[in-house]
Amino acid sequence: MQRIHFTPADFARVRLRTSAGPVVESAFAYGLLGRGVSAPFARWRSQVGERLTQWPLPLSGGSAAPGLDGLLDLIERSARSVSAEAPAARTAPGPLFHPAAGDLSLVWRAAVAPYWEQLLHYLEAECEARGRVLMAGGVELLLATLHSRITWRAPVLEIADGPDEDVSLDGRGLVLTPSVFLAQRPGRITRRRAENGPVVLAFAAPPDTHQAAGLWDEPDDSGQSLGALVGQTRAAALHALRSSCTTSQLADRLGISAAGASQHTAVLRRAGLITTRRIRNMVLHTLTPLGVALLKGMSPRPAAPAAVRAQGRRRPAGAVVRHRDPHPVVGLTARTTPAA
């Protein structure tokens, strides 16, 4: 059992974040694929099974795959080593790959990316519901109602089915993130070692059968192809920016630091995929027409003049109508000027 110890200062530093992020959710999905699943996940697992050519996927360089807690530990240590590199290295594009943890990008492409937009909407609604609990009853009611197997015994939060250890917040605070794929465990600490940073606890918020029906509808490969072009995290950022948001809101949606979100938006802005404008002390990011077109898989085209459209409608008798390929390969040739 994991025990998280609060100090009085930590109660003022409890907050909610939309998601633990693509890497952690991919780790949770990997763990779920290796176990029996409940009815809400049956359709998801069937669809993922059709995309995977090999199972179990090779992790940790071909050696025995670590358990979930070991995998989360490797992800955190790898993320710390990446953040310690030079700034130029941190801005380099790349997939969801952590050398110590294995290539989780395979799990991301097959099991998470096709549903990422729906998942974010679901998790945002979950956070809003938890936020109403917080407003109505305060932090203690929020902690007491996270999960049936997470128990609040002031000043300690007890998580069943976790490693037997004590974690002291020591004034750093706690970030709570709901997770769809943490379905058979009540919660897991996903970050604890960041200097002066909060501990991050993902808690299970699986959908019921009715909610799951909308999560697994008509997945496509847009997350895979887009991720191959711009990198998985930036692909997730573009999907998240279908609704304009601030840097901190984007960081919450992706489960990354505000500094990391700022670096990704800078790259996307230089590529002409988003625009950024400052409103007082707030920075708002919005997709450009080119960014929207990239998500849709087509380039923006100017509307044809009315005369040309009218001429196209008046075909001479006996003319051969050539039907356009419903899945053309379209190059992105539009050029935009990045925001200053």
Side-chain angles (χ1 to χ4, degrees), residues 24-42 44-45 48 52 55 68 71 107 111-112 179-185 206-207 216:
V24 172
E25 286 289 0
S26 297
F28 290 157
Y30 180 82
L32 188 59
L33 284 169
R35 303 164 65 100
V37 296
S38 57
F41 291 92
W44 166 77
R45 184 167 182 168
V48 174
L52 293 177
W55 184 260
L68 177 59
L71 187 56
V107 184
V112 182
S179 170
V180 169
F181 295 113
L182 193 63
Q184 297 181 339
R185 298 177 173 89
W216 319 133

Side-chain angles (χ1 to χ4, degrees), residues 55 58 73 88 102 116 127-128 142 150 168 174 185 196 201 203 226 237 243 248 261 272 288 290-291 302 315:
W55 184 260
D73 185 62
W116 187 244
C127 274
E128 290 176 1
L142 173 64
I150 297 178
S168 298
L174 182 69
R185 298 177 173 89
N196 301 321
L201 172 66
F203 62 92
L226 182 58
S243 298
S248 60
T288 64
L290 182 61
R315 297 187 181 92

Side-chain angles (χ1 to χ4, degrees), residues 6-74:
F6 284 71
T7 67
D10 292 310
F11 286 97
R13 295 184 173 92
V14 173
R15 65 187 183 93
L16 290 160
R17 175 183 291 171
T18 301
S19 169
V23 176
V24 172
E25 286 289 0
S26 297
F28 290 157
Y30 180 82
L32 188 59
L33 284 169
R35 303 164 65 100
V37 296
S38 57
F41 291 92
R43 188 176 170 205
W44 166 77
R45 184 167 182 168
S46 175
Q47 293 172 351
V48 174
E50 294 176 358
R51 301 188 193 102
L52 293 177
T53 58
Q54 179 182 2
W55 184 260
L57 295 175
L59 294 179
S60 299
S63 61
L68 177 59
D69 295 303
L71 187 56
L72 292 174
D73 185 62
L74 291 172

Side-chain angles (χ1 to χ4, degrees), residues 164-176:
D164 188 15
E165 64 176 347
D166 292 272
V167 179
S168 298
L169 297 181
D170 295 326
R172 292 179 295 165
L174 182 69
V175 173
L176 299 168

